[in-house]
Amino acid sequence: MMEQAQRVLRQDPVMADLVDRHDLSVESDWTAYERLCLSIINQQLSTASAAAVRERVFEHFDGELTPTRVLEAEESPLREAGLSRMKVEYLKNAARAFQENDYTRSGFEDHTEAEVRAQLTEIKGVGEWTARMFLLFVLERPDILPLGDLAVRRGIEQLYGDGEELSRDEMREIAERWRPYRSVATRYIWAEYESDD
């Protein structure tokens, strides 16, 4: 899929430059539950803060974040790792949901994007943004455009609007040329945005 996506994206000169400059092939091997936890940890935090908290949380679990281990964990060490009381609760809510349902790629294979989002957002602590991250990274749906993500919006504004504010409609219009690979384009925008930090 990546080669085909890059061919489509190269038709946009701005995106062609990002394709040449960023390697997206290095992807961590997270489980579906770990990836959902990462998105919960990242909610409303800067990239640097989220990375620091994530590192401490994974360290606490010796790099093995599973629903069972999270449900058995005491709150205080997770709070010391930098999680708010609410986020500890959200990780545990997600753990219970994962124990009760099949949230793997095969489990969601026959679900539309809207159905996946509806099911995920039933978990307290999982909103639209987190559900879209799951669609993009875990289920690897190819055409997700998460405009609820601040870094994506800022990245599009820097790349296509000289840093000037753009409306979400304007961003959607820009992203039309990336279909049906807006997920891949989004990852290139993140890579560029994070390289400027």
Side-chain angles (χ1 to χ4, degrees):
M1 184 188 86
M2 184 57 83
E3 281 182 25
Q4 202 172 340
Q6 288 174 336
R7 272 201 299 276
V8 170
L9 296 179
R10 281 184 188 283
Q11 294 169 24
D12 173 346
V14 174
M15 199 53 68
D17 183 48
L18 300 189
V19 170
D20 288 338
R21 290 193 296 111
H22 297 288
D23 179 10
L24 299 185
S25 62
V26 183
E27 178 62 30
S28 299
D29 192 21
W30 308 109
T31 66
Y33 176 68
E34 285 172 343
R35 177 54 84 176
L36 187 63
C37 288
L38 290 178
S39 292
I40 291 170
I41 290 167
N42 288 345
Q43 289 170 6
Q44 299 173 328
L45 289 179
S46 69
T47 306
S49 299
V53 173
R54 178 183 72 212
E55 195 174 314
R56 290 193 295 266
V57 169
F58 271 79
E59 204 172 272
H60 174 72
F61 289 105
D62 300 318
E64 200 179 328
L65 203 64
T66 65
T68 302
R69 294 191 73 182
V70 167
L71 287 171
E72 290 170 352
E74 297 291 324
E75 183 181 310
S76 56
L78 297 179
R79 298 271 289 124
E80 285 166 22
L83 291 175
S84 66
R85 185 165 280 114
M86 290 295 280
K87 283 194 181 177
V88 173
E89 183 191 328
Y90 294 165
L91 295 189
K92 289 181 182 279
N93 291 344
R96 285 185 206 95
F98 265 73
Q99 287 186 332
E100 292 163 10
N101 301 284
D102 183 2
Y103 286 149
T104 61
R105 282 177 75 168
S106 58
F108 276 127
E109 197 171 5
D110 298 327
H111 289 59
T112 65
E113 288 170 16
E115 288 168 343
V116 173
R117 291 202 314 270
Q119 192 166 330
L120 286 172
T121 53
E122 284 176 9
I123 305 168
K124 189 180 176 193
V126 176
E128 277 292 323
W129 176 83
T130 305
R132 286 178 194 279
M133 295 301 104
F134 195 87
L135 279 160
L136 201 154
F137 287 109
V138 177
L139 304 185
E140 295 184 341
R141 298 290 172 98
D143 201 35
I144 306 298
L145 180 67
L147 292 181
D149 188 275
L150 181 64
V152 171
R153 294 198 309 275
R154 293 289 175 268
I156 292 173
E157 286 168 350
Q158 284 172 9
L159 291 163
Y160 292 89
D162 291 325
E164 295 295 315
E165 194 172 328
L166 297 171
S167 71
R168 293 196 188 199
D169 283 342
E170 288 172 314
M171 292 181 193
R172 285 188 195 96
E173 194 175 320
I174 289 165
E176 275 302 305
R177 65 193 89 163
W178 310 333
R179 281 182 184 275
Y181 299 109
R182 291 181 299 175
S183 296
V184 180
T186 294
R187 290 178 59 204
Y188 277 114
I189 289 163
W190 271 320
E192 177 71 7
Y193 185 79
E194 287 172 9
S195 72
D196 288 343
D197 281 358

